Amino acid sequence: MATNGVNGTNGVNGTYSKHDFSSLKVNESRLMDAIHTGCKYGAAHRYGDHPTETGMARLSLNDADKQIRDWFLATAETLNCKTSVDQMGNLFAVRPGRNSEAPPIMMGSHLDTQPTGGRYDGILGVNSALEVLKVLHENNMETEGSIGVVNWTNEEGARFPMMAVSSGVWAEAVPLETAWNLAEVSPSGEDGEKRTMKQELERIGYLGEQPASYKAFPMACHFEVHIEQGPSLEIEKRRVGVVKGVQAFKWFEITVKGRDSHAGTTPYHARMDSMLCAAKLIVESNKISKEHGGLSTTGIVTGQPGSINTMAHTVTFTLDIRHTQDDKLAEIEKSCRTAFSRIAEKESEKGCKIEWKELVDSPAVNFHADCIAAVEASAKEVVQELPMTADDGQLWRYMISGAGHDSCYTNRRCPTSMIFTPTKDGISHNPVEYCSPEDCAIGAQVLLGAVLRYDKMRAERGDFA
């Protein structure tokens, strides 16, 4: 695949045909340089000798996140973009088109990472979008409508425990005050206090004045490039996933209350052991999800008072349940609630009490047909240039995302779709997460073609009349 950005026929110096965009190519080396340059902010967890062989620990609104935000805005301004920041710290950069008053086509993802994250989750999406703007800029291309990039705040939910919270506020699915008051999972300062999102937005200087709402910043549509975060594309030797939707999921915080007592003097029949009860609940959730064809995960467990020879009086754990169908997810939740009550009351010696707190409710998502069609058409064109590797002769496939993304919320307010790239060994949320330079460039090239096709469609159907 040509990825040099300038090839003599792509319209430099005004020779570009208005909708003949097939010759425009992303620059693979420039894209990778941008990814790895930005990853110096928050690099951690070295696993090899090469300078790029580190993971990332750029949690939302920490000092490294401020640095990458500064870098993002500086980069966008070199491309003559209009930039803005909203009340959730979402960063918008828009390259004006011929009809600059109409809502822009937006490409978006996130730059925050997990505590032991990699260099591609979210990061590839933002940099692919910036690369699209660089191609348009260097070719002096005037699009029909404006095209821009958004960096969504705290998509991961790793520091502030609500994933995609800021795109949720933009979609008016999450109240602003709820998001602002989210406290970090673990204290980040020496004072031991947990800081809120609003406090940290203020501290790093990214508490914007623009309302965090689709009404204040409407979008014509939203496209997102992302690594698959699973093994399917790699196993099937395909190069692109055309994402049609996202499976449903819910996050809960489960609190189990028992009684702290001496480990050596309290017989089993007299115990109210919240840790043992919690362990049984976690195992049961796994069993239930398997029976329903879904997934269940516990990522955080905390116990108090935290003494080796004392039973915990309180244990809190997270529960993440997922299924491709909303009704099946509801069955998993219902079965878990019933089983948890039984186990706590009747299978935990003297018994424990349980409290459920819902953190996230993300129904199954079906992306917009027009956006899917634009991605599919672009994917078909891009893979034509590639050597055949798939056994069935098709280098792209439709996919349903197993993970949640900001696109789940944008889909509520504007047409949306996603593009998946292969992930080495299916590993993500891990320092060794990897997508090859060629596959990164393929994803960005599909994005470029999809955006320009959608821009052309808007003009043809009279969106700018």
Side-chain angles (χ1 to χ4, degrees):
M1 182 183 72
T3 56
N4 64 348
V6 178
N7 60 20
T9 61
N10 63 356
V12 177
N13 299 323
T15 62
Y16 178 75
S17 176
K18 185 166 153 182
H19 291 312
D20 177 23
F21 45 75
S22 60
S23 59
L24 291 175
K25 304 297 179 183
V26 303
N27 186 318
E28 178 181 307
S29 61
R30 180 172 62 193
L31 172 62
M32 299 314 298
D33 180 67
I35 288 173
H36 295 310
T37 295
C39 282
K40 68 184 178 182
Y41 306 119
H45 317 301
R46 178 164 292 283
Y47 62 87
D49 296 331
H50 193 274
T52 66
E53 290 180 330
T54 74
M56 297 295 297
R58 189 164 62 217
L59 273 69
S60 186
L61 309 184
N62 68 7
D63 291 344
D65 192 29
K66 171 180 168 47
Q67 291 174 312
I68 194 64
R69 287 164 173 269
D70 294 345
W71 172 88
F72 173 91
L73 291 179
T75 301
E77 286 167 4
T78 67
L79 303 173
N80 297 329
C81 290
K82 179 182 178 182
T83 61
S84 60
V85 183
D86 73 11
Q87 294 167 306
M88 286 303 298
N90 296 318
L91 308 184
F92 302 92
V94 178
R95 182 179 186 270
R98 186 190 309 275
N99 300 279
S100 59
E101 297 303 312
I105 292 174
M106 295 299 289
M107 306 169 286
S109 200
H110 60 97
L111 292 170
D112 67 308
T113 76
Q114 290 286 330
T116 54
R119 290 177 166 242
Y120 302 89
D121 178 357
I123 294 169
L124 173 61
V126 173
N127 280 282
S128 295
L130 287 171
E131 174 61 23
V132 167
L133 294 190
K134 291 172 185 177
V135 173
L136 300 180
H137 180 72
E138 71 185 357
N139 285 280
N140 301 312
M141 181 177 178
E142 184 179 40
T143 52
E144 295 294 339
S146 301
I147 297 175
V149 184
V150 53
N151 169 43
W152 299 105
T153 300
N154 193 59
E155 188 274 351
E156 292 289 0
R159 184 182 181 193
F160 302 98
M162 187 180 291
M163 67 84 54
V165 61
S166 300
S167 53
V169 175
W170 174 87
E172 295 190 1
V174 177
L176 177 63
E177 292 294 333
T178 298
W180 272 355
N181 291 326
L182 278 176
E184 58 189 345
V185 172
S186 301
S188 58
E190 295 180 358
D191 58 7
E193 295 295 321
K194 293 184 178 181
R195 289 163 173 76
T196 66
M197 286 201 77
K198 187 176 184 180
Q199 287 174 326
E200 288 296 88
L201 284 166
E202 290 175 329
R203 183 184 69 83
I204 68 170
Y206 277 93
L207 180 64
E209 295 182 0
Q210 177 178 299
S213 168
Y214 73 96
K215 297 171 185 172
F217 193 99
M219 299 181 188
C221 64
H222 183 272
F223 290 98
E224 181 173 7
V225 172
H226 208 282
I227 57 172
E228 179 195 347
Q229 299 182 283
S232 297
L233 290 174
E234 183 181 57
I235 290 172
E236 297 171 11
K237 298 180 181 179
R238 305 187 201 278
R239 310 306 292 274
V240 180
V242 177
V243 186
K244 299 181 74 175
V246 180
Q247 71 176 342
F249 65 93
K250 282 190 173 185
W251 288 4
F252 298 96
E253 181 181 83
I254 312 296
T255 300
V256 184
K257 294 186 177 181
R259 182 177 62 198
D260 45 340
S261 58
H262 197 289
T265 63
T266 310
Y268 283 124
H269 66 79
R271 295 187 177 198
M272 299 170 66
D273 189 339
S274 60
M275 185 64 76
L276 181 59
C277 178
K280 291 181 178 181
L281 303 184
I282 294 168
V283 171
E284 186 69 13
S285 68
N286 182 269
K287 176 186 174 183
I288 290 170
S289 65
K290 283 183 179 179
E291 291 174 346
H292 288 82
L295 295 167
S296 173
T297 304
T298 291
I300 301 174
V301 180
T302 59
Q304 299 176 48
S307 172
I308 292 176
N309 63 339
T310 302
M311 274 156 270
H313 59 70
T314 304
V315 172
T316 301
F317 67 92
T318 57
L319 180 64
D320 175 322
I321 56 174
R322 303 184 185 232
H323 201 284
T324 56
Q325 300 175 37
D326 290 327
D327 58 343
K328 295 294 185 181
L329 184 68
E331 290 179 16
I332 292 174
E333 179 185 349
K334 181 179 179 181
S335 296
C336 282
R337 286 182 180 271
T338 299
F340 283 16
S341 295
R342 184 194 73 244
I343 292 169
E345 295 173 9
K346 299 180 180 180
E347 300 176 23
S348 298
E349 307 300 347
K350 288 185 70 66
C352 295
K353 296 185 181 299
I354 300 177
E355 296 175 359
W356 289 66
K357 179 182 179 182
E358 184 177 293
L359 302 178
V360 175
D361 179 3
S362 183
V365 173
N366 295 306
F367 288 142
H368 197 280
D370 289 343
C371 289
I372 295 171
V375 172
E376 179 180 338
S378 182
K380 287 179 177 178
E381 180 178 77
V382 171
V383 301
Q384 284 180 347
E385 303 178 28
L386 304 175
M388 181 52 61
T389 54
D391 293 339
D392 63 0
Q394 184 165 298
L395 291 178
W396 67 274
R397 60 164 286 189
Y398 293 124
M399 303 190 77
I400 297 295
S401 175
H405 301 280
D406 290 304
S407 289
C408 296
Y409 279 124
T410 63
N411 191 64
R412 298 188 184 196
R413 301 300 181 184
C414 68
T416 296
S417 188
M418 296 183 68
I419 299 158
F420 274 176
T421 62
T423 308
K424 181 175 172 54
D425 299 324
I427 296 173
S428 184
H429 288 190
N430 184 294
V432 302
E433 169 186 279
Y434 182 76
C435 180
S436 72
E438 183 180 18
D439 284 330
C440 288
I442 289 170
Q445 187 68 39
V446 173
L447 177 65
L448 172 62
V451 164
L452 293 179
R453 281 173 170 82
Y454 201 93
D455 181 61
K456 177 183 177 183
M457 182 194 71
R458 294 181 76 192
E460 291 176 344
R461 73 185 180 191
D463 285 13
F464 308 116

